[in-house]
Amino acid sequence: MGHEQELRGGRSGSWDLVGGLMVGAVGGFMLGVLLAPRQGDAARDRIDESLEDFRDRAEDFIGNLRGNTENLLNQTRTAIEERITLITEAIEEGRKAADDKRAELVVEQEGS
């Protein structure tokens, strides 16, 4: 369970880092555009274009993230289903072995 918590903690820290980098990049870019020696309309147009480009990139990133998440969920679901099948088969084999042993003991008791 400690390993699982480490993984979750690592993922959480990674997402915090990615989010911080994205916010910092956008903020830094916008500040740079605003402070650049340009006329107001040109700066606003540049910011609009940059925000549109950022939005497109963010949508692509989120789309890829969703696809990767869906693939990971499908792989996890398949692995869980396989484990459930193995456990179910093991339980059935255990029950059969117990029934066989019980029948064997009954036969031995009747023979005594």
Side-chain angles (χ1 to χ4, degrees):
M1 183 153 176
H3 182 66
E4 183 178 328
Q5 288 174 342
E6 285 178 23
L7 289 176
R8 270 193 250 141
R11 287 185 190 139
S12 177
S14 298
W15 286 117
D16 291 344
L17 177 65
V18 170
L21 288 173
M22 290 177 71
V23 169
V26 170
F29 181 79
M30 289 175 56
L31 186 62
V33 169
L34 288 174
L35 295 177
R38 295 177 186 253
Q39 295 203 1
D41 289 339
R44 282 189 290 278
D45 289 343
R46 178 98 188 233
I47 289 173
D48 288 343
E49 290 172 7
S50 297
L51 287 175
E52 186 174 329
D53 182 49
F54 175 75
R55 187 186 77 230
D56 292 342
R57 288 179 188 217
E59 287 174 358
D60 289 344
F61 176 77
I62 290 170
N64 288 336
L65 182 63
R66 281 186 184 140
N68 291 340
T69 302
E70 287 176 13
N71 288 338
L72 182 59
L73 285 173
N74 288 335
Q75 290 173 356
T76 303
R77 187 176 295 119
T78 299
I80 289 170
E81 288 171 354
E82 289 173 356
R83 297 316 185 281
I84 288 172
T85 299
L86 290 173
I87 291 169
T88 302
E89 289 172 355
I91 290 171
E92 288 303 316
E93 288 178 18
R95 284 183 182 155
K96 184 181 180 303
D99 289 343
D100 291 348
K101 188 63 175 178
R102 190 175 301 117
E104 182 181 315
L105 291 173
V106 168
V107 168
E108 284 179 12
Q109 284 181 345
E110 290 175 355
S112 302

